[in-house]
Each structure stands twice: as structure tokens, then as C-alpha cells.
Amino acid sequence: MNSDAPISAGRFLTTRWSVVLVAGQQVSPESAAALERLCRAYWLPICAFARRKGWTDEDAKDLTQQFFVRLLERNDFNGLDPSRGKFRTFLLAAFTHFLANEYDRANALKRGGGRTFISLDQFPPEKLDGFAAAAVAPEILYDARWARAILQTALRRLKEEMAAADKQQQFEGLKQFLTESGGADKYTAAAENLGVEVSSMPVLVHRLRQRYRELVRDEVAQTVSSPTELDEEMRHLFAVLNR
């Protein structure tokens, strides 16, 4: 996956994370919406981290819910240094602090003040369960879930784009090549299903992969504050995926 797709430096003035950083000085509906979207994207990685820290499934879910409710309700961004504004690292540090200082078992049923930040119905059971199955460090599992969330969001956006362009069938026929190498047999079968010439398959697959790379990079860009940080996060993403 090539991480060299250009993103203008000015692009970082309006990313979701840069808008959230501004909330440290002035809370607005725009900053609140940006924070909520980021929190939703990081719900599963944070829950997985809590689970690997030794909490039960139910307690991990409850703690994650309460943590994000508090992030949305409190101005925890006041004084944050935008030059050190990677959302991934900020969030993990904040949650680690939360686990160490804010959790009270006696109030388990009262967490969140009765509010539900995210309905657990949004996540299939297979996504919520089994966080402690792998014998890996909590931080490694957090990064693995983060990387998966980035890829899944980019894939969803790609699917939505192609559906909007009336290319849903093409997406379904080509998506296997985002993670698999092509070959004569595979290309022939896919071409027949799509009703296109086999000779056009390499071009179609190349375009799909290119757009997917761009969307992955754009998703990562939403959580950093500069082109330098974007390059660092992309390298980190590849390192996590190659573990």
C-alpha cells in the first residue's frame, strides 16, 4: 500500500481532530460532532484495550461507554498542544488515566448517568467478544483494532462511493483483489461475472486499489495535525498490519 498520495498541508486545518483541538478554546456544534465521530471510530480499540487489561467483557464495555460519555461532556482538550495532537496516542493515554483513577466498581450500574453513547446493537457479537483471546500486550491489541477500524472505514467509504456511482456490482466483483493478488484464472472468472473484457481487469483493479489507498490515507489524516504526523501514522499503520 503506497502512502505517498499527496494531501495538501491546508487539509489539516479542517480535519476532524484539528476541529476537536479547537474545542479546547471554544466548544461548538462542529467540534462536538467531530469528536463524536472520532470516538465512535475508536470505541472497539478502546474496549479491546480494557479487556486485555483484565476487565470482564461487560465491565470493559461499561468503562468504554463511560469514558467516551465523559469526553463528550467535558472540555478535556483545553491546553492540548496541537503539535502533539495524534488522536490515537492522546486517547490511549487518557483512557489509561481513566482506568487508573476513575473506575469505581460500586457504581457500575450508574456509569454514564443513564446515558448511552453508542448502542451495542451497532456491533455484531463477534466484534465485541473474545478481546482477551490473543496473548498480546494491551497496547498491541489496541493498535491492531485501530488499524482494522481504519481499513474497515476506508472500505465502507469505497463501497458507498461506488454505489453512488452505480458501480455496486463492480465493487463486489473486484473487492477480493484489494487483499489478493490477481491472476489469469481469477481475472477471467471476475471478468465473466462483471461482463467485461479480461484485458480491462488490471486497470479496474489498479483504480480500485489506488482509491482504497487514498481513502485509508484520508482516514488517518483525520486523526493527526500535520503532514509529518500523517507520514508517521501511515508508517505505524503498515508496521501494525505487517506484525
Side-chain angles (χ1 to χ4, degrees), residues 116-138:
T116 299
F117 168 61
I118 296 178
S119 170
L120 298 187
D121 293 339
Q122 295 183 34
F123 302 105
E126 63 270 16
K127 287 190 176 182
L128 288 170
D129 297 331
F131 284 138
V136 298

Side-chain angles (χ1 to χ4, degrees), residues 6-15 18 224-228 230:
I7 291 183
S8 167
R11 173 75 174 80
F12 295 93
L13 298 176
T14 57
T15 63
S18 65
V224 296
S225 301
S226 71
T228 299
L230 174 57

